[in-house]
Amino acid sequence: MKKLVALALAGAVMSTAAFAGTDTEDFTITVNVLEKCEIKSVDDVTINDYDPISGNSQTGSSNVKFRCVKGSTWELSVPNTASLNHQDPNIGDTLTVNIEFDNQTSSDATSSKVDGTDSAGINGENIEPMTITVPGGQDVHHGTYTGTVTVTLSW
């Protein structure tokens, strides 16, 4: 029994002796954060009671909601015009609408654009409003017209 206690004490002394000193060294961690954005939603638009005979335009509005990594530079673009198809494909008429960002920063022959640099971050929300206009006086059949428009977010 004395031998077992002596061996146990010798082991305890040896394990303490194995950690008789310490040393430290610093290291560097580097993380590259990507510049990135994503569209959260785009409001659908319904324009009721368009009267082509009156010659008056009618408008609706939509909002593009998106978020980006802080400091990301972004650009939203949408086609300047869209052709909406009649609900009855046998009629074949199309209704033209014009689309423009309310805070438009540039445009070309085919699109309306708005751009900026994000400061809201991923927990915030950027909102860019658009106006959709149905020009007056279009010679179309009565009924419902629908179409899909693509908003592009680039960063």
Coordinates of all heavy atoms in Angstrom, one line a residue, residues 41-144:
S41 N -38.5 42.2 -51.1 CA -39.9 42.2 -51.7 C -40.1 43.3 -52.6 O -39.4 44.4 -52.6 CB -41.0 42.2 -50.6 OG -41.0 43.4 -49.9
V42 N -41.0 43.2 -53.5 CA -41.5 44.2 -54.4 C -43.0 44.2 -54.4 O -43.6 43.1 -54.6 CB -41.0 44.0 -55.9 CG1 -41.5 45.2 -56.8 CG2 -39.5 43.9 -55.9
D43 N -43.6 45.3 -54.1 CA -45.1 45.4 -54.0 C -45.7 45.2 -55.4 O -45.3 45.9 -56.4 CB -45.5 46.8 -53.4 CG -45.0 47.0 -52.1 OD1 -44.7 46.1 -51.3 OD2 -44.8 48.2 -51.7
D44 N -46.7 44.4 -55.5 CA -47.5 44.3 -56.7 C -48.4 45.5 -56.8 O -48.7 46.2 -55.9 CB -48.4 43.0 -56.6 CG -47.6 41.7 -56.7 OD1 -46.5 41.7 -57.3 OD2 -48.1 40.7 -56.2
V45 N -48.8 45.8 -58.1 CA -49.5 47.0 -58.4 C -50.9 46.6 -59.1 O -50.9 45.8 -60.0 CB -48.7 47.9 -59.3 CG1 -49.5 49.2 -59.7 CG2 -47.4 48.3 -58.7
T46 N -51.9 47.2 -58.6 CA -53.2 47.1 -59.2 C -53.7 48.5 -59.5 O -53.8 49.4 -58.6 CB -54.3 46.4 -58.3 OG1 -53.8 45.1 -58.1 CG2 -55.6 46.3 -59.0
I47 N -54.0 48.8 -60.8 CA -54.6 50.1 -61.2 C -56.0 49.8 -61.7 O -56.2 49.1 -62.7 CB -53.8 50.7 -62.3 CG1 -52.3 51.0 -61.7 CG2 -54.4 52.0 -62.8 CD1 -51.4 51.5 -62.8
N48 N -57.0 50.3 -61.0 CA -58.4 50.1 -61.3 C -59.0 51.2 -62.2 O -58.6 52.4 -62.1 CB -59.2 50.0 -60.0 CG -58.8 48.7 -59.2 OD1 -58.8 47.6 -59.8 ND2 -58.6 48.9 -57.9
D49 N -60.0 50.8 -63.0 CA -60.8 51.8 -63.7 C -60.1 52.7 -64.7 O -60.3 53.9 -64.7 CB -61.7 52.6 -62.7 CG -62.5 51.7 -61.8 OD1 -62.9 50.6 -62.2 OD2 -62.7 52.1 -60.6
Y50 N -59.1 52.1 -65.4 CA -58.5 52.9 -66.5 C -59.5 53.2 -67.6 O -60.2 52.3 -68.1 CB -57.3 52.1 -67.0 CG -56.7 52.7 -68.3 CD1 -56.0 53.9 -68.2 CD2 -56.8 52.0 -69.5 CE1 -55.4 54.4 -69.4 CE2 -56.2 52.5 -70.6 CZ -55.6 53.7 -70.6 OH -55.0 54.3 -71.7
D51 N -59.5 54.5 -68.0 CA -60.5 54.9 -69.0 C -59.7 55.4 -70.2 O -59.3 56.6 -70.2 CB -61.4 56.0 -68.4 CG -62.4 56.6 -69.4 OD1 -62.4 56.1 -70.6 OD2 -63.1 57.5 -69.0
P52 N -59.5 54.6 -71.3 CA -58.8 55.1 -72.4 C -59.4 56.2 -73.2 O -58.7 57.0 -73.8 CB -58.6 53.8 -73.3 CG -59.6 52.8 -72.8 CD -60.0 53.2 -71.4
I53 N -60.7 56.3 -73.1 CA -61.4 57.4 -73.9 C -61.1 58.7 -73.3 O -61.0 59.7 -74.1 CB -63.0 57.1 -73.9 CG1 -63.2 55.8 -74.7 CG2 -63.7 58.3 -74.5 CD1 -64.7 55.4 -74.7
S54 N -61.0 58.8 -72.0 CA -60.7 60.1 -71.4 C -59.4 60.8 -71.8 O -59.3 62.0 -71.8 CB -60.7 60.0 -69.8 OG -59.6 59.4 -69.4
G55 N -58.5 59.9 -72.2 CA -57.2 60.4 -72.6 C -56.3 60.7 -71.4 O -55.1 61.1 -71.6
N56 N -56.8 60.5 -70.2 CA -56.0 60.8 -69.0 C -55.1 59.5 -68.7 O -55.6 58.4 -68.8 CB -56.9 61.1 -67.8 CG -57.6 62.4 -68.1 OD1 -57.1 63.3 -68.7 ND2 -58.9 62.4 -67.6
S57 N -53.9 59.8 -68.2 CA -53.0 58.7 -67.7 C -53.5 58.4 -66.3 O -54.2 59.2 -65.6 CB -51.6 59.2 -67.6 OG -51.1 59.5 -68.9
Q58 N -53.2 57.2 -65.9 CA -53.5 56.8 -64.5 C -52.3 56.1 -63.9 O -51.5 55.5 -64.6 CB -54.7 55.8 -64.5 CG -55.3 55.6 -63.2 CD -56.7 55.0 -63.3 OE1 -57.3 54.9 -64.4 NE2 -57.2 54.6 -62.2
T59 N -52.0 56.4 -62.6 CA -50.8 55.9 -62.0 C -51.1 55.0 -60.8 O -52.1 55.0 -60.2 CB -49.9 57.1 -61.5 OG1 -50.7 57.8 -60.5 CG2 -49.5 58.0 -62.6
G60 N -50.1 54.2 -60.5 CA -50.0 53.4 -59.3 C -48.6 53.4 -58.8 O -47.7 54.0 -59.4
S61 N -48.4 52.8 -57.6 CA -47.0 52.9 -57.0 C -46.6 51.5 -56.5 O -47.5 50.7 -56.2 CB -46.9 53.9 -56.0 OG -47.8 53.6 -54.9
S62 N -45.3 51.3 -56.4 CA -44.8 50.1 -55.8 C -43.5 50.5 -55.1 O -42.9 51.5 -55.3 CB -44.4 49.1 -57.0 OG -43.8 48.0 -56.5
N63 N -43.1 49.6 -54.2 CA -41.8 49.8 -53.4 C -41.0 48.6 -53.6 O -41.5 47.5 -53.5 CB -42.1 50.0 -51.9 CG -42.7 51.4 -51.7 OD1 -42.2 52.4 -52.1 ND2 -43.9 51.4 -51.0
V64 N -39.7 48.8 -53.8 CA -38.7 47.7 -53.8 C -38.0 47.8 -52.4 O -37.5 48.9 -52.1 CB -37.6 47.9 -54.9 CG1 -36.6 46.8 -54.8 CG2 -38.3 48.0 -56.3
K65 N -38.1 46.7 -51.7 CA -37.5 46.7 -50.4 C -36.3 45.7 -50.5 O -36.4 44.6 -50.9 CB -38.5 46.2 -49.3 CG -39.7 47.1 -49.2 CD -40.8 46.6 -48.4 CE -42.0 47.5 -48.4 NZ -43.2 46.9 -48.0
F66 N -35.1 46.2 -50.0 CA -33.9 45.4 -50.1 C -33.0 45.7 -49.0 O -33.2 46.7 -48.2 CB -33.3 45.6 -51.5 CG -32.7 46.9 -51.7 CD1 -31.4 47.3 -51.6 CD2 -33.6 48.0 -52.1 CE1 -30.9 48.5 -51.8 CE2 -33.1 49.2 -52.4 CZ -31.8 49.5 -52.2
R67 N -32.0 44.8 -48.8 CA -31.0 45.1 -47.8 C -29.6 44.7 -48.4 O -29.5 43.9 -49.3 CB -31.2 44.3 -46.5 CG -31.1 42.8 -46.7 CD -31.5 42.0 -45.4 NE -31.2 40.6 -45.6 CZ -31.2 39.8 -44.6 NH1 -31.3 40.2 -43.4 NH2 -31.0 38.5 -44.9
C68 N -28.6 45.3 -47.8 CA -27.2 45.1 -48.2 C -26.3 45.0 -47.0 O -26.6 45.5 -45.9 CB -26.7 46.3 -49.1 SG -27.6 46.5 -50.7
V69 N -25.1 44.5 -47.3 CA -24.0 44.6 -46.3 C -23.6 46.1 -46.2 O -23.5 46.7 -47.3 CB -22.8 43.7 -46.7 CG1 -21.6 43.9 -45.8 CG2 -23.3 42.2 -46.7
K70 N -23.4 46.6 -45.0 CA -23.0 48.0 -44.9 C -21.9 48.4 -45.8 O -20.9 47.7 -46.0 CB -22.6 48.3 -43.4 CG -23.7 48.3 -42.4 CD -23.1 48.7 -41.1 CE -24.2 48.6 -40.0 NZ -23.7 48.8 -38.7
G71 N -22.0 49.6 -46.4 CA -21.0 50.1 -47.3 C -21.1 49.6 -48.7 O -20.3 50.0 -49.6
S72 N -22.0 48.6 -49.0 CA -22.1 48.1 -50.4 C -22.7 49.2 -51.3 O -23.7 49.8 -51.0 CB -23.0 46.9 -50.4 OG -22.5 45.8 -49.7
T73 N -22.1 49.3 -52.5 CA -22.7 50.2 -53.5 C -23.7 49.4 -54.3 O -23.4 48.2 -54.7 CB -21.6 50.8 -54.4 OG1 -20.8 49.8 -55.0 CG2 -20.7 51.8 -53.6
W74 N -24.8 49.9 -54.6 CA -25.9 49.1 -55.3 C -26.5 50.0 -56.4 O -26.4 51.2 -56.4 CB -26.9 48.7 -54.3 CG -27.5 49.8 -53.4 CD1 -27.1 50.2 -52.2 CD2 -28.6 50.7 -53.8 NE1 -27.9 51.3 -51.7 CE2 -28.8 51.6 -52.7 CE3 -29.4 50.8 -54.9 CZ2 -29.7 52.6 -52.7 CZ3 -30.3 51.8 -54.9 CH2 -30.5 52.7 -53.8
E75 N -27.2 49.2 -57.3 CA -28.0 49.9 -58.3 C -29.2 49.0 -58.6 O -29.1 47.8 -58.7 CB -27.2 50.0 -59.6 CG -28.0 50.6 -60.8 CD -27.3 50.6 -62.1 OE1 -27.2 49.5 -62.7 OE2 -26.7 51.7 -62.4
L76 N -30.4 49.7 -58.6 CA -31.6 49.0 -59.0 C -32.0 49.5 -60.4 O -31.8 50.7 -60.7 CB -32.8 49.4 -58.0 CG -32.8 48.8 -56.6 CD1 -33.8 49.5 -55.8 CD2 -33.2 47.3 -56.8
S77 N -32.5 48.6 -61.2 CA -32.9 48.9 -62.5 C -34.2 48.2 -62.8 O -34.5 47.1 -62.3 CB -31.9 48.7 -63.6 OG -31.6 47.3 -63.7
V78 N -35.1 48.9 -63.6 CA -36.3 48.3 -64.0 C -36.6 48.8 -65.4 O -36.2 49.9 -65.8 CB -37.5 48.7 -63.0 CG1 -37.7 50.2 -63.1 CG2 -38.7 48.0 -63.3
P79 N -37.2 48.0 -66.3 CA -37.5 48.4 -67.6 C -38.4 49.7 -67.6 O -39.3 49.9 -66.8 CB -38.3 47.3 -68.2 CG -38.0 46.1 -67.4 CD -37.7 46.6 -66.0
N80 N -38.1 50.6 -68.6 CA -38.9 51.8 -68.7 C -40.4 51.6 -69.0 O -41.3 52.3 -68.6 CB -38.4 52.8 -69.7 CG -37.1 53.5 -69.3 OD1 -36.9 53.7 -68.1 ND2 -36.3 53.9 -70.2
T81 N -40.6 50.5 -69.8 CA -42.0 50.2 -70.2 C -42.2 48.7 -70.1 O -41.2 47.9 -70.1 CB -42.2 50.6 -71.7 OG1 -41.3 49.9 -72.5 CG2 -42.1 52.1 -71.9
A82 N -43.5 48.3 -70.0 CA -43.8 46.9 -70.0 C -45.1 46.8 -70.7 O -46.0 47.7 -70.7 CB -44.0 46.4 -68.5
S83 N -45.3 45.7 -71.4 CA -46.5 45.3 -72.1 C -47.3 44.3 -71.3 O -46.7 43.2 -71.0 CB -46.2 44.8 -73.5 OG -45.6 45.8 -74.3
L84 N -48.5 44.6 -71.0 CA -49.4 43.7 -70.2 C -50.3 43.1 -71.2 O -50.9 43.7 -72.1 CB -50.1 44.5 -69.2 CG -49.3 45.5 -68.3 CD1 -50.2 46.1 -67.3 CD2 -48.2 44.7 -67.6
N85 N -50.5 41.8 -71.0 CA -51.4 41.0 -71.9 C -52.8 40.9 -71.4 O -53.0 40.8 -70.1 CB -50.8 39.6 -72.1 CG -49.5 39.6 -72.7 OD1 -49.3 40.3 -73.8 ND2 -48.5 38.9 -72.2
H86 N -53.8 40.9 -72.3 CA -55.2 40.7 -71.9 C -55.4 39.4 -71.3 O -54.7 38.4 -71.7 CB -56.1 40.9 -73.1 CG -57.5 41.1 -72.7 ND1 -58.3 40.0 -72.5 CD2 -58.3 42.2 -72.6 CE1 -59.6 40.5 -72.2 NE2 -59.5 41.8 -72.2
Q87 N -56.3 39.3 -70.3 CA -56.5 38.0 -69.6 C -57.0 36.9 -70.6 O -56.8 35.7 -70.3 CB -57.6 38.2 -68.5 CG -58.9 38.6 -69.0 CD -59.9 38.9 -67.9 OE1 -59.5 38.8 -66.7 NE2 -61.1 39.2 -68.2
D88 N -57.7 37.3 -71.7 CA -58.1 36.4 -72.7 C -57.1 36.3 -73.9 O -57.0 37.3 -74.6 CB -59.5 36.8 -73.2 CG -60.1 35.8 -74.3 OD1 -59.3 34.9 -74.7 OD2 -61.3 36.0 -74.6
P89 N -56.3 35.3 -74.0 CA -55.3 35.3 -75.0 C -55.8 35.3 -76.4 O -55.1 35.7 -77.4 CB -54.5 34.0 -74.8 CG -55.4 33.1 -73.9 CD -56.3 34.1 -73.2
N90 N -57.1 35.1 -76.6 CA -57.7 35.1 -77.9 C -57.9 36.6 -78.4 O -58.1 36.8 -79.6 CB -59.1 34.4 -78.0 CG -58.9 32.9 -77.7 OD1 -58.0 32.3 -78.2 ND2 -59.8 32.3 -76.9
I91 N -57.9 37.5 -77.4 CA -58.1 38.9 -77.8 C -56.8 39.5 -78.4 O -56.8 40.2 -79.4 CB -58.6 39.7 -76.6 CG1 -60.0 39.3 -76.3 CG2 -58.5 41.2 -76.9 CD1 -60.7 40.0 -75.1
G92 N -55.7 39.2 -77.8 CA -54.4 39.6 -78.4 C -54.0 41.0 -78.1 O -52.9 41.4 -78.6
D93 N -54.7 41.8 -77.4 CA -54.3 43.2 -77.2 C -53.3 43.3 -76.0 O -53.2 42.4 -75.2 CB -55.5 44.0 -76.7 CG -56.4 44.6 -77.8 OD1 -55.9 44.4 -79.0 OD2 -57.4 45.1 -77.6
T94 N -52.4 44.3 -76.1 CA -51.5 44.6 -75.0 C -51.7 46.0 -74.6 O -52.0 46.9 -75.4 CB -50.0 44.3 -75.5 OG1 -49.7 45.2 -76.6 CG2 -49.8 42.9 -75.8
L95 N -51.5 46.2 -73.3 CA -51.6 47.5 -72.7 C -50.2 47.9 -72.3 O -49.5 47.1 -71.6 CB -52.5 47.5 -71.5 CG -52.8 48.8 -70.8 CD1 -53.7 49.7 -71.6 CD2 -53.5 48.5 -69.4
T96 N -49.7 49.1 -72.6 CA -48.4 49.6 -72.3 C -48.4 50.4 -71.0 O -49.3 51.3 -70.8 CB -47.8 50.4 -73.4 OG1 -47.8 49.6 -74.6 CG2 -46.4 50.9 -73.1
V97 N -47.5 50.1 -70.1 CA -47.3 50.9 -68.9 C -45.8 51.4 -68.9 O -44.9 50.8 -69.4 CB -47.6 50.1 -67.6 CG1 -49.1 49.7 -67.6 CG2 -46.7 48.9 -67.4
N98 N -45.7 52.6 -68.3 CA -44.3 53.2 -68.1 C -44.0 53.0 -66.6 O -44.8 53.2 -65.7 CB -44.3 54.7 -68.5 CG -44.7 54.9 -69.9 OD1 -44.3 54.1 -70.8 ND2 -45.4 55.9 -70.2
I99 N -42.7 52.8 -66.3 CA -42.2 52.5 -65.0 C -41.0 53.4 -64.7 O -40.1 53.5 -65.6 CB -41.8 51.1 -64.8 CG1 -42.9 50.1 -65.2 CG2 -41.4 50.8 -63.4 CD1 -42.5 48.7 -65.5
E100 N -41.0 54.1 -63.6 CA -39.9 54.9 -63.2 C -39.7 55.0 -61.7 O -40.6 55.1 -61.0 CB -40.1 56.3 -63.8 CG -39.0 57.3 -63.6 CD -39.2 58.6 -64.2 OE1 -39.2 58.7 -65.5 OE2 -39.4 59.6 -63.5
F101 N -38.4 54.9 -61.3 CA -38.1 55.1 -59.9 C -38.3 56.5 -59.5 O -37.9 57.4 -60.3 CB -36.6 54.7 -59.6 CG -36.4 53.2 -59.5 CD1 -35.7 52.5 -60.5 CD2 -36.9 52.5 -58.4 CE1 -35.5 51.2 -60.5 CE2 -36.7 51.1 -58.4 CZ -36.0 50.4 -59.4
D102 N -38.9 56.7 -58.4 CA -39.2 58.1 -58.0 C -37.9 58.9 -57.7 O -37.9 60.1 -57.9 CB -40.1 58.1 -56.7 CG -41.5 57.6 -56.9 OD1 -41.8 57.2 -58.1 OD2 -42.2 57.5 -56.0
N103 N -36.9 58.2 -57.3 CA -35.6 58.9 -57.0 C -34.6 58.5 -58.1 O -33.4 58.4 -57.8 CB -35.1 58.4 -55.6 CG -36.0 58.7 -54.5 OD1 -36.6 59.8 -54.4 ND2 -36.3 57.7 -53.7
Q104 N -35.0 58.4 -59.3 CA -34.2 58.0 -60.4 C -32.9 58.8 -60.5 O -32.9 60.0 -60.4 CB -35.0 58.1 -61.7 CG -34.2 57.8 -62.9 CD -35.1 57.9 -64.2 OE1 -36.0 57.0 -64.3 NE2 -34.9 58.9 -65.0
T105 N -31.8 58.0 -60.6 CA -30.5 58.7 -60.7 C -30.0 58.7 -62.1 O -29.1 59.5 -62.5 CB -29.4 58.1 -59.8 OG1 -29.4 56.6 -60.0 CG2 -29.8 58.3 -58.3
S106 N -30.5 57.7 -62.9 CA -30.1 57.7 -64.4 C -31.1 56.9 -65.1 O -31.9 56.1 -64.5 CB -28.7 57.1 -64.5 OG -28.7 55.7 -64.2
S107 N -31.1 57.0 -66.4 CA -32.0 56.2 -67.3 C -31.3 56.1 -68.6 O -30.4 56.8 -69.0 CB -33.4 56.8 -67.4 OG -33.3 58.0 -68.0
D108 N -31.8 55.1 -69.4 CA -31.3 55.0 -70.8 C -32.6 54.6 -71.6 O -33.7 54.7 -71.1 CB -30.2 53.9 -70.9 CG -30.5 52.6 -70.3 OD1 -31.7 52.2 -70.4 OD2 -29.6 51.9 -69.8
A109 N -32.4 54.2 -72.8 CA -33.5 53.9 -73.7 C -34.4 52.8 -73.2 O -35.5 52.7 -73.6 CB -33.0 53.6 -75.1
T110 N -33.9 51.9 -72.3 CA -34.7 50.8 -71.9 C -34.9 50.7 -70.4 O -35.7 49.8 -70.0 CB -34.0 49.5 -72.3 OG1 -32.7 49.4 -71.7 CG2 -33.8 49.4 -73.8
S111 N -34.3 51.5 -69.6 CA -34.5 51.2 -68.1 C -34.4 52.5 -67.3 O -33.8 53.5 -67.7 CB -33.5 50.2 -67.6 OG -32.2 50.7 -67.8
S112 N -35.0 52.4 -66.1 CA -34.9 53.5 -65.1 C -34.0 52.9 -64.0 O -34.1 51.7 -63.7 CB -36.3 53.8 -64.5 OG -36.2 54.7 -63.4
K113 N -33.1 53.8 -63.5 CA -32.2 53.3 -62.5 C -32.1 54.2 -61.3 O -32.3 55.4 -61.4 CB -30.8 53.2 -63.1 CG -30.7 52.2 -64.3 CD -29.4 52.2 -65.0 CE -29.4 51.2 -66.2 NZ -28.2 51.2 -66.9
V114 N -31.7 53.6 -60.2 CA -31.5 54.4 -58.9 C -30.3 53.6 -58.3 O -30.2 52.4 -58.3 CB -32.7 54.5 -58.0 CG1 -33.2 53.1 -57.6 CG2 -32.4 55.4 -56.8
D115 N -29.4 54.4 -57.7 CA -28.2 53.8 -57.0 C -27.9 54.5 -55.8 O -28.4 55.6 -55.5 CB -27.0 53.7 -58.0 CG -26.6 55.1 -58.5 OD1 -26.5 56.0 -57.7 OD2 -26.4 55.2 -59.7
G116 N -27.0 53.8 -55.0 CA -26.6 54.4 -53.7 C -25.5 53.5 -53.0 O -25.1 52.5 -53.6
T117 N -25.2 53.9 -51.8 CA -24.3 53.1 -50.9 C -25.1 52.8 -49.7 O -25.7 53.7 -49.0 CB -23.1 53.9 -50.6 OG1 -22.4 54.2 -51.8 CG2 -22.1 53.1 -49.7
D118 N -25.1 51.6 -49.3 CA -25.9 51.2 -48.1 C -25.3 51.6 -46.8 O -24.1 51.5 -46.6 CB -26.0 49.6 -48.1 CG -26.9 49.2 -46.9 OD1 -28.1 49.3 -47.1 OD2 -26.4 48.8 -45.9
S119 N -26.1 52.1 -45.9 CA -25.7 52.5 -44.6 C -26.6 51.8 -43.5 O -26.3 51.8 -42.3 CB -25.7 54.0 -44.3 OG -27.0 54.5 -44.5
A120 N -27.7 51.2 -44.0 CA -28.6 50.5 -43.1 C -28.1 49.2 -42.6 O -28.5 48.7 -41.5 CB -30.0 50.3 -43.7
G121 N -27.3 48.5 -43.4 CA -26.8 47.1 -43.0 C -27.9 46.1 -43.1 O -29.0 46.3 -43.5
I122 N -27.5 44.8 -42.8 CA -28.4 43.7 -43.0 C -29.6 43.7 -42.1 O -30.6 43.0 -42.4 CB -27.7 42.4 -42.9 CG1 -27.1 42.1 -41.5 CG2 -26.6 42.3 -43.9 CD1 -26.6 40.7 -41.2
N123 N -29.6 44.4 -41.0 CA -30.8 44.5 -40.1 C -31.7 45.7 -40.4 O -32.7 45.8 -39.8 CB -30.3 44.6 -38.6 CG -29.6 43.3 -38.2 OD1 -30.1 42.2 -38.5 ND2 -28.5 43.4 -37.5
G124 N -31.2 46.5 -41.4 CA -32.0 47.6 -41.8 C -32.8 47.3 -43.1 O -32.8 46.1 -43.6
E125 N -33.4 48.3 -43.7 CA -34.2 48.1 -44.9 C -34.1 49.3 -45.8 O -34.3 50.4 -45.3 CB -35.6 47.7 -44.6 CG -36.5 47.4 -45.8 CD -37.9 47.0 -45.4 OE1 -38.6 47.9 -44.9 OE2 -38.2 45.8 -45.6
N126 N -33.7 49.1 -47.0 CA -33.8 50.2 -48.0 C -35.1 50.1 -48.8 O -35.5 49.0 -49.1 CB -32.6 50.0 -49.0 CG -31.3 50.1 -48.3 OD1 -30.9 51.2 -47.8 ND2 -30.5 49.0 -48.3
I127 N -35.7 51.2 -49.0 CA -37.0 51.2 -49.8 C -36.9 52.2 -50.9 O -36.6 53.4 -50.6 CB -38.2 51.6 -48.9 CG1 -38.3 50.6 -47.7 CG2 -39.5 51.6 -49.7 CD1 -39.4 50.9 -46.7
E128 N -37.1 51.8 -52.1 CA -37.0 52.6 -53.3 C -38.4 52.6 -53.9 O -38.8 51.5 -54.4 CB -35.9 52.2 -54.2 CG -34.6 52.6 -53.8 CD -34.3 54.1 -53.6 OE1 -35.0 54.9 -54.3 OE2 -33.5 54.5 -52.8
P129 N -39.1 53.7 -54.0 CA -40.5 53.7 -54.6 C -40.4 53.9 -56.1 O -39.5 54.5 -56.6 CB -41.1 55.0 -53.9 CG -40.0 55.8 -53.5 CD -38.8 54.9 -53.2
M130 N -41.4 53.3 -56.8 CA -41.5 53.4 -58.2 C -43.0 53.9 -58.5 O -43.9 53.6 -57.8 CB -41.4 52.1 -58.9 CG -40.1 51.4 -58.8 SD -40.1 49.8 -59.8 CE -41.0 48.8 -58.7
T131 N -43.1 54.6 -59.6 CA -44.4 55.0 -60.2 C -44.6 54.3 -61.5 O -43.8 54.3 -62.3 CB -44.5 56.6 -60.4 OG1 -44.3 57.2 -59.1 CG2 -45.8 57.0 -61.0
I132 N -45.8 53.7 -61.5 CA -46.2 53.0 -62.7 C -47.4 53.8 -63.4 O -48.4 54.1 -62.7 CB -46.7 51.6 -62.4 CG1 -45.6 50.7 -61.9 CG2 -47.3 50.9 -63.6 CD1 -45.2 50.9 -60.5
T133 N -47.2 54.2 -64.6 CA -48.2 55.0 -65.3 C -48.7 54.3 -66.5 O -48.0 53.8 -67.4 CB -47.5 56.3 -65.8 OG1 -46.9 57.0 -64.7 CG2 -48.5 57.3 -66.5
V134 N -50.1 54.3 -66.6 CA -50.8 53.8 -67.8 C -51.1 55.1 -68.6 O -51.9 55.9 -68.3 CB -52.1 53.1 -67.5 CG1 -52.7 52.5 -68.7 CG2 -51.8 52.0 -66.4
P135 N -50.4 55.2 -69.8 CA -50.6 56.4 -70.6 C -52.1 56.4 -71.1 O -52.6 55.4 -71.5 CB -49.6 56.3 -71.7 CG -48.6 55.4 -71.2 CD -49.3 54.4 -70.3
G136 N -52.7 57.6 -71.2 CA -54.0 57.7 -71.7 C -54.1 57.4 -73.2 O -53.2 57.5 -73.9
G137 N -55.4 57.2 -73.6 CA -55.7 57.0 -75.0 C -55.2 55.8 -75.7 O -55.2 55.7 -76.9
Q138 N -54.9 54.7 -75.0 CA -54.6 53.4 -75.6 C -55.8 52.7 -76.2 O -56.8 52.6 -75.5 CB -53.8 52.5 -74.6 CG -52.5 53.1 -74.2 CD -51.7 52.2 -73.3 OE1 -51.3 51.1 -73.8 NE2 -51.4 52.6 -72.1
D139 N -55.7 52.3 -77.4 CA -56.8 51.7 -78.1 C -56.8 50.2 -77.8 O -56.2 49.4 -78.6 CB -56.8 52.0 -79.6 CG -58.0 51.5 -80.3 OD1 -59.1 51.2 -79.6 OD2 -58.0 51.4 -81.6
V140 N -57.4 49.8 -76.7 CA -57.4 48.4 -76.3 C -58.8 47.9 -75.9 O -59.7 48.7 -75.7 CB -56.5 48.2 -75.0 CG1 -55.0 48.5 -75.4 CG2 -56.9 49.1 -73.9
H141 N -58.9 46.6 -75.9 CA -60.2 45.9 -75.5 C -60.4 46.0 -74.0 O -59.4 46.0 -73.2 CB -60.0 44.4 -75.9 CG -61.3 43.7 -76.0 ND1 -61.9 43.2 -74.9 CD2 -62.1 43.4 -77.1 CE1 -63.0 42.6 -75.3 NE2 -63.2 42.7 -76.6
H142 N -61.6 46.1 -73.6 CA -61.9 46.2 -72.1 C -61.5 44.8 -71.5 O -61.5 43.8 -72.1 CB -63.4 46.5 -71.8 CG -64.3 45.4 -72.2 ND1 -64.6 44.4 -71.3 CD2 -65.0 45.1 -73.3 CE1 -65.4 43.5 -71.9 NE2 -65.7 43.9 -73.1
G143 N -61.3 44.9 -70.2 CA -60.9 43.6 -69.5 C -59.7 43.8 -68.6 O -59.2 45.0 -68.4
T144 N -59.1 42.8 -68.1 CA -58.0 42.8 -67.2 C -56.7 42.5 -68.0 O -56.7 41.5 -68.7 CB -58.2 41.8 -66.0 OG1 -59.4 42.2 -65.3 CG2 -57.0 41.9 -65.1

